[in-house]
Amino acid sequence: MDAQGDEITVERAAEDYAAEVARWREVRGMSKRALALAMGFDPSYVSHVESGRHKPSEEFSRLADEALNAGKAIWRRWCDYEQAKARTRRPAAAPPAQRSPEQPYATGSALVVEHDAARLQYEGSSYRLTMRRRLRNTGGSR
């Protein structure tokens, strides 16, 4: 939640997390490279996290908080991010309803259009319209 008590979005939580990591790194006077080495990560990964190109992870958060001696500030931002993600997860969708077998529209023969494509082409002074359809006969033979 933000200062007004409103729930924050996942995007906002990720931005806040990245800003928190960058702020603590700057407070401690560490370069991205130095922080990465202290944590056992590649320097480009730290850069990606701070720019928001990589989403926060539990391991990164724990190690960054320890390496920067941030007093759990980075860890709390990660928890905020996880809570925002959990709020936006949708419950598992119900399985799709069983499709009933295709029935012809009427007794006897029926055609089903399986594919329909149209093309309009300008040929200097006039237009040419081409239509193509793939049909399937779903009726019985007589």
Side-chain angles (χ1 to χ4, degrees):
M1 290 196 193
D2 65 10
Q4 290 80 30
D6 298 326
E7 291 182 347
I8 60 174
T9 65
V10 174
E11 293 79 18
R12 174 66 188 271
E15 290 169 7
D16 291 349
Y17 176 88
E20 193 76 30
V21 172
R23 186 177 78 79
W24 278 101
R25 186 180 55 73
E26 290 170 8
V27 164
R28 297 296 180 227
M30 292 180 83
S31 66
K32 291 175 187 175
R33 180 178 203 74
L35 176 59
L37 291 173
M39 296 171 51
F41 278 83
D42 189 87
S44 66
Y45 190 82
V46 173
S47 181
H48 289 310
V49 168
E50 284 190 17
S51 69
R53 289 187 301 269
H54 281 306
K55 298 305 178 206
S57 72
E58 181 178 2
E59 179 186 16
F60 184 92
S61 303
R62 184 177 42 77
L63 292 171
D65 204 272
E66 289 173 9
L68 295 169
N69 195 21
K72 302 290 183 195
I74 295 170
W75 180 255
R76 282 192 298 277
R77 290 291 186 179
W78 179 77
C79 291
D80 292 345
Y81 172 77
E82 287 296 306
Q83 287 174 354
K85 272 187 3 184
R87 280 192 307 273
T88 59
R89 285 191 189 116
R90 296 184 180 151
Q98 292 274 358
R99 288 185 67 190
S100 57
E102 268 185 36
Q103 297 291 321
Y105 297 108
T107 315
S109 67
L111 293 177
V112 175
V113 178
E114 290 186 334
H115 181 77
D116 191 1
R119 179 177 170 201
L120 184 62
Q121 182 177 353
Y122 183 69
E123 296 180 342
S125 62
S126 62
Y127 289 90
R128 169 184 238 158
L129 174 63
T130 307
M131 297 191 70
R132 294 176 186 242
R133 290 187 175 146
R134 181 178 306 129
L135 304 174
R136 182 167 48 102
N137 185 349
T138 61
S141 59
R142 288 188 184 210

